[in-house]
Amino acid sequence: EAWKTDSGSILLTRNGGRPSFLRRMHLWGAAGVGRHVVVYAAGTAETGDARNESGTEWYTELAGVRYTRSDAFVIDAGKIQPVIGTFAARRYSTRNPLIGMPDGYPLQYPLGVQASGTRGRFAYRAAVVSLPTYHEGYTPNPTPAPRPALGAGFTPTTGARIGASATWGPYLN
């Protein structure tokens, strides 16, 4: 990314209004270890004088081990995708210079262990995770604690999913 802002607004100015650059690299990798085990990780490195903070930062977003016995039984352990919701949040590019990261996509990959699978049109997820789904800046930051989480879904036709998710446990501190 390349930036050239004016110094009229301290909220929108990058690098004191001087031309500045931001370099971002998204990395993802997975390796099979034996017949049923995969080790995977995803992260982002970011550097440049257009950053709000100086220096270079590395975000490890996802890292874990997956054991797959069949489509009906998969175990994930590590920094895993959230159990709640229909898809995992992803880090999107800073497309809007006025607001930065889109607000509806907080990245929260908790530590946890999850069993999941599909059987025909039915899918399930059951896990114990370290954090509830929360939004930084809107709700208090929770402290890590074991939290059970369940999710289930039914696909009546290809491309449509009816599902439900639930979590319970000590949410805030």
Side-chain angles (χ1 to χ4, degrees):
E1 296 177 16
W3 292 83
K4 172 59 178 98
T5 60
D6 64 27
S7 58
S9 169
I10 55 173
L11 295 176
L12 303 178
T13 299
R14 302 253 179 151
N15 196 26
R18 296 179 300 278
S20 55
F21 298 92
L22 181 70
R23 292 171 295 285
R24 188 179 299 124
M25 181 171 44
H26 301 284
L27 301 170
W28 181 88
V33 181
R35 187 171 166 197
H36 299 285
V37 178
V38 173
V39 177
Y40 56 88
T44 301
E46 185 178 82
T47 189
D49 52 9
R51 281 178 40 86
N52 292 330
E53 302 88 24
S54 63
T56 299
E57 190 161 1
W58 170 261
Y59 309 95
T60 302
E61 295 157 356
L62 181 69
V65 176
R66 174 174 289 168
Y67 171 78
T68 304
R69 185 71 188 155
S70 69
D71 286 346
F73 186 70
V74 178
I75 299 273
D76 279 289
K79 198 169 182 184
I80 62 174
Q81 294 180 7
V83 176
I84 301 302
T86 57
F87 67 94
R90 290 143 177 101
R91 183 174 294 281
Y92 292 104
S93 178
T94 312
R95 294 181 184 153
N96 187 332
L98 299 176
I99 64 168
M101 193 64 62
D103 192 46
Y105 301 104
L107 283 180
Q108 298 156 352
Y109 292 96
L111 293 175
V113 175
Q114 173 180 271
S116 63
T118 60
R119 188 87 166 145
R121 296 180 183 273
F122 177 75
Y124 74 92
R125 297 176 305 280
V128 175
V129 295
S130 63
L131 296 172
T133 300
Y134 71 98
H135 196 296
E136 191 174 327
Y138 290 109
T139 58
N141 288 344
T143 55
R147 292 174 170 82
L150 296 172
F154 177 75
T155 305
T157 65
T158 303
R161 168 122 358 201
I162 298 171
S165 297
T167 60
W168 62 92
Y171 279 91
L172 296 176
N173 297 320

